[in-house]
Structure formats: structure tokens, C-alpha cells
Amino acid sequence: MGSATLRVPAQDRRQQILELATRLFARRGYQGTTTREIAERAGVNEAIIFRHFPSKEHLYWAVIEHQIGRRGGRERMRRALAAEGSDAEVLTALAERLLRRDTTLSRLLLFTALENHKLSHRFFRTHVAQYYEVLADYVRRGIAAGRFRAVDPLLAARGFLGMVIYHFLIQELYGGKRYQDFDRGKVCQTLVGIWLAGMQPPGRAHSGARQGGNGCNGRTGSELKKRQR
């Protein structure tokens, strides 16, 4: 068998390096992972890594962007918020999507925040701020339509995402589900209900209606109470 048959195409080699680097960075962080170790795991010379990525920092950023790209990013969130249904239905579906993701990206971002502030700031500016802005725009439209009270849309967006993502981190990264394994659907309905209750205009009982919707997936308050007993 000729050596040419063993040659890996450049694009496949790059993908292999990305996948190996993702696993190591997510398990050991930026500081705890070396390009030499990644090269050894990939079975290549360390120089091959720098042929595809100019530096360890470039490799780490490529890993983060690859993970974000796999999840669809802010455009997927924008489509989710444009779906038909009540505010409760739309936001519950969004919360469920956020809680279904794996922990890889969250681990990478936590390591980034603790170990490399420059990359952390770049990530927030490039990606996180835009996620918040997509949801803030949804809030602005709700305020204009009279469904939500007049609050800072960006803070309201942070409040919603903060509740959902904090629950995810507690359950999936900090081991909370070993002690309290909540039903995901119930978690989403509860957190969305709390957020909508805080967003209701003064003097108006908020139904969660946006386009003829009737609250949390069509269930009345009495039905939800029965389910929780």
C-alpha cells in the first residue's frame, strides 16, 4: 500500500484537529491543554496544527465558533421567536431548546471567562451580545403591542435567558440533577410563567397571548395547579 493512500485531505485533518481540541479544551480548559498534546492525540507533528491554525488562541477560537455554528446561533433563536403562538408557547419552546443542548460549549465558555479574558470579551462582543439583542427586539415588539410593560428590553432579555441558562448550569455542570431531577417541560413552563408574570402591564392580568394564544400551552391555571399537586 503506497504512502499516498494514507494521506489525509487538509480539510479532514483540520476537522480532526478541531474535534480533538474541542474534547481536550472542554475537559481541561485553555491553560490545561497544550497543542503538543492535541498533536499527539491526532497522530501528527505539532507543526501541522500551526499550518491550519496560526496559534493556540486561533485554534481555541475556531473551536468556539465551530460549536456555535453547530447550534445555529442567533438566527435559530430569531426563527424560534418568529414562530406562531402565544408568548408562553414561543418562549417555552425556546427554553426547551436551550435546555436540550450538551455541555461542551458551556464548559468552554466558563473556562474562557476564568482563564483568558481577552477571548471572553471577544466572545461576548461577537456572539452573546447579539443573542441578547435578538430577544430584546422581541421584547420591544411586545411592549409596543401592549403585551409587556415598559421596561428595559435588554435587561428583560437577560433576565429570561439568565433564568434558563442558570438552571442548565446548575443541573448539568454543577451536578444538581443528581439531587433534584426536574421534569424539563415543567421547568420551562414555570420559568416562562414567572418571567411573563413580571412582564405584565400594570393593572392587566397577563395571559401570554400574542396571536390568539391562551397562556402556557393552552392549559388553564387550575389545570396547572392540579398537575403540580
Side-chain angles (χ1 to χ4, degrees):
M1 182 181 291
S3 60
T5 61
L6 299 177
R7 185 172 299 169
V8 177
Q11 188 59 36
D12 292 345
R13 179 68 74 194
R14 185 181 190 277
Q15 185 63 30
Q16 178 194 24
I17 293 170
L18 267 179
E19 291 174 358
L20 285 167
T22 298
R23 291 198 292 270
L24 289 173
F25 282 137
R27 187 163 66 245
R28 302 180 184 177
Y30 182 85
Q31 302 293 347
T33 303
T34 66
T35 52
R36 177 178 295 181
E37 184 178 15
I38 295 170
E40 290 175 353
R41 295 291 184 94
V44 300
N45 188 287
E46 192 174 5
I48 297 294
I49 291 180
F50 296 119
R51 186 179 299 173
H52 292 281
F53 308 95
S55 67
K56 178 181 174 182
E57 188 171 294
H58 280 85
L59 172 57
Y60 195 77
W61 186 252
V63 164
I64 290 177
E65 290 202 313
H66 180 64
Q67 287 295 309
I68 292 170
R70 290 178 56 190
R71 289 160 175 75
R74 62 185 179 277
E75 289 306 316
R76 179 173 291 183
M77 177 182 283
R78 199 186 306 276
R79 290 194 298 271
L81 292 173
E84 292 187 1
S86 68
D87 288 312
E89 291 166 340
V90 169
L91 293 173
T92 297
L94 175 60
E96 288 176 345
R97 180 175 289 109
L98 291 171
L99 293 182
R100 280 199 303 269
R101 63 184 184 170
D102 64 50
T103 62
T104 301
L105 182 59
S106 296
R107 292 179 63 87
L108 287 168
L109 299 181
L110 286 174
F111 275 124
T112 304
L114 293 171
E115 298 178 334
N116 192 319
H117 294 302
K118 184 170 70 173
L119 278 176
S120 179
H121 296 163
R122 180 181 176 187
F123 174 77
F124 186 89
R125 182 177 65 252
T126 306
H127 296 289
V128 176
Q130 297 180 22
Y131 279 97
Y132 286 137
E133 187 54 43
V134 170
L135 185 53
D137 186 58
Y138 179 92
V139 174
R140 289 188 191 95
R141 296 196 301 272
I143 293 172
R147 302 193 315 272
F148 302 149
R149 63 191 181 92
V151 297
D152 185 313
L154 189 56
L155 286 177
R158 284 194 179 194
F160 176 80
L161 292 175
M163 286 195 300
V164 176
I165 294 172
Y166 180 73
H167 176 80
F168 174 83
L169 294 177
I170 289 294
Q171 293 298 97
E172 302 299 330
L173 290 187
Y174 304 153
K177 68 180 180 181
R178 285 182 294 180
Y179 305 99
Q180 295 175 309
D181 192 8
F182 296 101
D183 176 77
R184 183 186 296 149
K186 183 177 180 181
V187 168
C188 294
Q189 288 183 0
T190 300
L191 295 183
V192 169
I194 291 170
W195 188 83
L196 286 175
M199 291 295 293
Q200 67 185 26
R204 175 182 173 184
H206 198 285
S207 65
R210 181 169 66 137
Q211 297 175 355
N214 56 1
C216 287
N217 297 329
R219 296 187 179 91
T220 64
S222 60
E223 289 173 326
L224 287 175
K225 288 179 181 178
K226 290 178 181 177
R227 285 169 55 87
Q228 294 171 358
R229 286 175 183 169

